[in-house]
Amino acid sequence: MKTTKALVIEDSATHRKLVESILAKSEDDHFAIETAQRLDEGLQKLARTQYDVVLLDLMLPDSEGMETFDRVRQQSGHVPIVVLSGVDDVNMAARAVEAGAQAFLVKGETEAKQLIRAVRYAVQRAHAEHAEWDAPMFHLAQQQFLKAAHLMGLDDNIRERLLFPQRSLVVTLPFRRDDYAEVETVFGYRVQHVLTMGPTKGGIRYHEEVNLGETSALAMWMTWKCALMRLPFGGAKGGVAIDPTTLSRAELQRLTRRYTTEIITMIGPDKDIPAPDMGTNEQVMAWVMDTYSQHIGHAVPEVVTGKPVSLGGSLGRREATGRGLVYLVSEAAAHLHMDLKRSTAVVQGFGNVGSNAAKFLEEMGVRVIGVSDVNTGIYNENGLSINALSEHVAKHRTLVGFPDGQEITNRQLLELPCDILVPAAMQNQITGENAPRIQCKLLAEGANGPTTLEADEILNEKGVFVLPDILGNAGGVTVSYFEWVQDTQNYNWTLEEVNDRLHKVMVDAFRRTTMRAQRDKLDMRTAALIEGVQRVAEAKLARGLFP
Ligand code: GLU
C-alpha cells in the first residue's frame, strides 16, 4: 500500500488530533501525517518536503481567509489542498474551492469516512489533472526514442508522429468491494501507440500507480518490440490504477468485467488484442474474453492472448517470456564466450517472468544464487533450488521464510557479484545511483523499463552486455502472436512447434540487433530500438497520408 504524505495546518489542537486519529485509522490507505499550527510553520514545511495533500484551516493565528489559501497554493504548486472549514466560514471555504482547492470539509460535521474519502479523492484528482502524462517512464520512453531517432537520422515528421500515442482512452469506473459499503471511482486506461501495421497488441496492468504516462510508455515499447520481432502489430497497453493484491476473486472479476466494458469499443481481434501484464493473469484474460464474447453474442477467443489453454490459449504462452529471455541468454553467452555451466545468475522478481527465467536458467546449468519478490531477496552462493522456491511461494505466497538461503534486501540483491543479472520486476530499478555498483557481465531485461538512460551510459562504460527489454522480454508477445494465429485459424500447434518457432524468432532478432550494434557502433538498446523504429517508419511511409 502506498503511503500518502499529508500536512495538516490547523491551529486548534482538538481538530488537529481528531484529523490525525481519523487518518491513522483508515484501513484502505496509509497516511504519514505532519502538522503545523501556524501558516509560517506550514509554509516552511511545504518548502522542505514534497507532500501528497495539504489539509488546511484558513483561520490561523498569523493569517486569515483567502490570504492563507493563496499563500499555501503558491508554495505547494500542484499539491491538492483540502480546506478544513469552521461552520461559520463555509462561504470562504467555497471560495477557496473556486480558487483551486480540491474540496472543503466542515469541522465537527464531518464523519471519519467522509474525511478519508475526501483526502483520497483529492489526491487522485490532482494526480489525474496534473500528472497523467507526467510520468518518469513516459519521459524515459520518449528520450530513448529521441536518441534512437537522432542516431538513425529519422525524418522529423515521422519522429513527431511517433512521440505520442495515436489513441488514448482514460475511463473512470465505479467499483464496489464485497462488503457493499461504498462505490469507489477507479481510473482505467487503454492506449494504442501505432495503428499502421495491423491490430495493436499489449498487456493490461493492474497496479496502484498506473497512469496515462506509464501506460503510454509501455504502449510505445510494445510498438518497438513488435516491430523488432517482425510481428504484424502496433503497440498498445492498458491498465487500472488499483492494487490487485487487496482484491478478492469476486472483486477482481467485477473490476475486470467493468473495465473491459468501458474499453470495449477499442478492442477486438482485428483492432486491439490485450494480454496479461503485471498484476493480471490467465484468469483475468478469461474474464475479458467472456465479457467481450457476451457483448458480441458468440465466443471470440482471439480477442485476448495469454488465456487458459481450455479457452484457446496457446501451449507455452505462460512460460514464453522467461523461456524467450533464456534463449537470448544462451545466444549472448556464445557471443561473449561465456560458459553457462560455470556462470551465476541473480533474478529480481519471482512472478511469471522471473520464476520461469530462473527455472530455465537452472535447467541450462546456470547457478542461480539470488532471487527476490516484493517482500525480500534470498541469497545462497551455492545456488538455490528453483523448484523449492516455487513450492515455498505456492504455499506461503512470498519468498519470506525460505529456509535454504539468507534474506537480503532488493538493493543488495541487484548489487551481488554475478555473471547474469535478470531484472524481472518493476521499472526504474537500475539507475544512475546504483549502476556503478552493478557487477554483472550480462544484463538480461525481463521487465519493461528497468534501466534508466543515466544507468545505460554507466553500464556501457563498464562494458556490461545488455539484452534490452524490447528484445529480452519479447518472448511473451511473440507467443501471444502465435496464440492469435492459432485462434484465427482454429488450428492448434504442439508445444514443440511453439517453442521451435519462438526460438527461431528470438535468435533472428538477436542476430539482427547484434549485427546492427557492431556495424553502426551502437549499444544494444539503441540498436534494438532503431531496428524496430525503422520498420515502423518504413510502414508509415509506405502507407502515406490520408487524405
Ligand atoms: N505484457 C507483455 C509485454 O509487455 C505481453 C504483451 C502481449 O502478449 O501482448 O510484452
Side-chain angles (χ1 to χ4, degrees):
M1 199 182 291
K2 192 179 169 270
T3 301
T4 303
K5 279 180 121 178
L7 175 64
V8 184
I9 310 179
E10 161 70 87
D11 61 334
S12 144
T14 325
H15 285 304
R16 224 166 39 233
K17 293 232 170 68
L18 185 68
V19 168
E20 264 187 285
S21 76
I22 291 174
L23 293 182
K25 274 194 216 120
S26 167
E27 279 171 18
D28 299 325
D29 312 75
H30 183 260
F31 292 98
I33 305 157
E34 286 186 34
T35 58
Q37 305 179 31
R38 301 167 54 88
L39 180 66
D40 56 3
E41 191 191 343
L43 292 178
Q44 273 168 24
K45 291 205 161 164
L46 277 168
R48 275 200 307 268
T49 310
Q50 179 68 40
Y51 294 96
D52 298 306
V53 62
V54 179
L55 286 89
L56 178 66
D57 177 11
L58 296 177
M59 304 303 276
L60 296 169
D62 54 339
S63 170
E64 291 192 351
M66 283 306 283
E67 192 194 325
T68 315
F69 177 76
D70 291 338
R71 291 181 59 193
V72 170
R73 166 94 297 169
Q74 222 173 25
Q75 183 65 259
S76 65
H78 289 321
V79 180
I81 301 172
V82 176
V83 171
L84 303 169
S85 161
V87 196
D88 302 333
D89 304 324
V90 174
N91 283 342
M92 192 167 61
R95 274 222 307 285
V97 171
E98 260 170 48
Q102 286 287 350
F104 73 85
L105 297 167
V106 182
K107 290 191 264 188
E109 291 182 359
T110 305
E111 285 175 36
K113 216 169 182 178
Q114 217 183 338
L115 176 85
I116 292 168
R117 292 186 77 186
V119 173
R120 188 195 303 151
Y121 284 137
V123 173
Q124 273 186 10
R125 269 203 305 269
H127 182 81
E129 283 166 16
H130 299 291
E132 283 294 355
W133 287 104
D134 195 18
M137 240 168 128
F138 193 42
H139 295 307
L140 174 63
Q142 287 186 323
Q143 292 308 326
Q144 287 175 345
F145 164 63
L146 288 173
K147 179 176 166 191
H150 171 74
L151 287 169
M152 70 191 282
L154 183 67
D155 179 275
D156 256 9
N157 302 299
I158 293 190
R159 191 187 62 199
E160 290 311 306
R161 288 295 298 135
L162 293 172
L163 202 52
F164 280 90
Q166 273 182 249
R167 285 184 189 161
S168 339
L169 178 67
V170 180
V171 297
T172 60
L173 34 131
F175 171 61
R176 68 179 159 74
R177 304 218 176 221
D178 293 340
D179 59 15
Y180 276 78
E182 60 179 62
V183 176
E184 286 169 49
T185 294
V186 178
F187 279 78
Y189 310 86
R190 186 74 191 170
V191 172
Q192 300 169 346
H193 178 240
V194 165
L195 290 97
T196 309
M197 298 127 88
T200 50
K201 186 89 196 76
I204 295 173
R205 173 173 287 208
Y206 290 173
H207 189 274
E208 68 261 44
E209 280 171 32
V210 162
N211 57 28
L212 186 59
E214 178 177 317
T215 314
S216 303
L218 291 161
M220 190 188 272
W221 284 325
M222 284 307 299
T223 298
W224 313 142
K225 197 186 300 184
C226 292
L228 169 63
M229 305 316 282
R230 302 195 165 161
L231 311 179
F233 299 131
K237 201 69 146 205
V240 179
I242 199 162
D243 176 2
T245 61
T246 65
L247 304 183
S248 71
R249 186 184 158 91
E251 287 169 342
L252 191 65
Q253 177 165 181
R254 272 204 298 283
L255 180 85
T256 301
R257 289 187 181 282
R258 182 63 192 236
Y259 166 68
T260 307
T261 308
E262 296 294 344
I263 64 162
I264 213 151
T265 51
M266 263 181 117
I267 61 173
D270 304 316
K271 284 201 227 168
D272 180 14
I273 305 132
D277 196 82
M278 198 187 287
T280 59
N281 56 20
E282 287 176 14
Q283 179 58 72
V284 171
M285 291 309 115
W287 291 325
V288 174
M289 177 267 178
D290 182 68
T291 308
Y292 185 83
S293 300
Q294 294 298 341
H295 178 80
I296 297 292
H298 56 84
V300 189
E302 62 274 27
V303 68
V304 289
T305 59
K307 56 193 171 288
V309 172
S310 58
L311 278 179
S314 177
L315 295 172
R317 172 62 185 88
R318 192 187 299 163
E319 304 81 19
T321 314
R323 194 187 293 275
L325 185 64
V326 174
Y327 286 156
L328 294 174
V329 167
S330 165
E331 288 299 302
H335 182 80
L336 301 170
H337 308 295
M338 252 168 86
D339 178 3
L340 285 178
K341 299 225 155 31
R342 299 213 319 221
S343 299
T344 55
V346 168
V347 181
Q348 184 198 33
F350 209 68
N352 179 34
V353 181
S355 63
N356 278 304
K359 183 177 102 185
F360 295 126
L361 283 170
E362 185 185 47
E363 277 176 16
M364 271 194 337
V366 176
R367 183 152 50 95
V368 181
I369 57 169
V371 297
S372 71
D373 64 8
V374 276
N375 302 306
T376 189
I378 303 283
Y379 170 62
N380 184 337
E381 65 170 330
N382 299 318
L384 295 154
S385 153
I386 307 305
N387 221 343
L389 288 164
S390 297
E391 275 171 19
H392 184 88
V393 170
K395 220 192 258 159
H396 302 95
R397 297 183 72 179
T398 168
L399 289 168
V400 174
F402 182 73
D404 199 15
Q406 176 193 339
E407 293 202 2
I408 55 172
T409 63
N410 244 297
R411 200 191 149 88
Q412 290 169 319
L413 180 102
L414 290 174
E415 295 170 15
L416 285 172
C418 63
D419 298 302
I420 305 160
L421 176 61
V422 182
M426 292 283 286
Q427 59 271 16
N428 200 23
Q429 295 300 302
I430 302 170
T431 62
E433 194 275 318
N434 64 359
R437 296 188 300 280
I438 299 282
Q439 307 194 47
C440 64
K441 296 195 186 86
L442 171 58
L443 179 69
E445 297 183 345
N448 286 310
T451 309
T452 66
L453 277 176
E454 224 184 331
D456 260 336
E457 275 176 29
I458 299 169
L459 297 178
N460 282 339
E461 270 166 35
K462 290 169 74 140
V464 174
F465 187 86
V466 178
L467 289 168
D469 51 2
I470 60 166
L471 175 64
N473 67 34
V477 71
T478 301
V479 177
S480 273
Y481 165 60
F482 297 161
E483 182 171 327
W484 179 74
V485 168
Q486 293 171 74
D487 288 343
T488 48
Q489 299 188 347
N490 295 306
Y491 181 71
N492 296 338
W493 305 355
T494 63
L495 182 61
E496 287 67 44
E497 280 172 313
V498 170
N499 288 343
D500 283 353
R501 286 181 159 127
L502 173 64
H503 187 256
K504 279 205 191 81
V505 175
M506 298 304 294
V507 170
D508 177 55
F510 176 83
R511 300 215 169 126
R512 278 185 282 115
T513 308
T514 38
M515 262 161 57
R516 185 183 282 272
Q518 279 168 346
R519 191 192 64 201
D520 300 341
K521 303 204 171 25
L522 298 166
D523 59 84
M524 283 291 280
R525 187 181 318 280
T526 311
L529 276 168
I530 292 181
E531 186 73 20
V533 173
Q534 191 164 61
R535 192 174 167 90
V536 178
E538 271 169 31
K540 280 216 170 280
L541 285 173
R543 271 186 70 162
L545 276 193
F546 176 85

